[in-house]
């Protein structure tokens, strides 16, 4: 009997398991955000610094970024701040918006907005 249970347990480990993935709800309306405009060439890098946050709050990407123009290439904790680095892919304009929310709730208490203009050098 023990051997049968051991064999069944081993076989169960080989079966595919469906994993549910939890995603946060989208961020709702945004408060007025300071706008920073940056112009860089294709291949250039731009960093977004998210200031330290109070306990229970988190910075979340509030809106999708145009990945044909800009893509995230790194993220690091620098002191109490979080710095996110994007690389310009090709000419165009992309907007990067982060919102400060309480956990994964939809209400935004603060927002930061960057408009990145990628210009060809020619």
């Amino acid at each position: 009997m023990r051997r049968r249970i051991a064999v069944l347990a081993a076989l169960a480990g080989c079966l595919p398991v469906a994993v549910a993935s939890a995603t946060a709800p989208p961020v709702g309306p945004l408060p007025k955000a300071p706008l920073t405009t940056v112009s860089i060439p294709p291949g250039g890098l731009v960093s977004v610094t998210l200031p330290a946050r109070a306990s229970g709050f988190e910075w979340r990407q509030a809106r999708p970024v145009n990945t044909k123009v800009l893509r995230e290439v790194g993220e690091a904790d620098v002191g109490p701040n979080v710095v996110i680095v994007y690389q310009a892919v090709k000419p165009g304009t992309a907007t990067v918006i982060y919102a400060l929310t309480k956990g994964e709730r939809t209400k935004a208490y603060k927002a930061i907005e960057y408009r990145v203009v990628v210009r060809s050098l020619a």
Side-chain angles (χ1 to χ4, degrees):
M1 182 67 169
R2 283 187 179 169
R3 182 178 171 155
R4 186 177 296 168
I5 291 173
V7 170
L8 289 175
L11 288 174
C14 297
L15 297 175
V17 177
V19 177
S21 64
T23 59
V27 176
L30 299 170
K32 186 161 177 61
L35 174 64
T36 302
T37 301
V38 180
S39 181
I40 58 175
L45 300 172
V46 63
S47 64
V48 174
T49 301
L50 304 174
R53 59 203 182 278
S55 179
F57 287 85
E58 61 184 61
W59 285 105
R60 295 174 48 205
Q61 189 173 344
R63 302 294 181 261
V65 175
N66 183 349
T67 56
K68 292 179 180 177
V69 176
L70 203 62
R71 67 183 168 98
E72 184 178 333
V73 294
E75 180 177 327
D77 292 325
V78 180
N81 304 317
V82 174
V83 177
I84 301 167
V85 180
Y86 290 88
Q87 184 171 34
V89 177
K90 69 176 193 175
T93 301
T95 303
V96 178
I97 303 174
Y98 284 89
L100 188 65
T101 63
K102 193 161 193 164
E104 293 187 347
R105 297 192 177 121
T106 60
K107 180 176 169 118
Y109 293 90
K110 185 176 180 181
I112 293 176
E113 181 176 357
Y114 281 75
R115 179 171 299 129
V116 181
V117 180
V118 180
R119 297 184 194 268
S120 178
L121 295 176

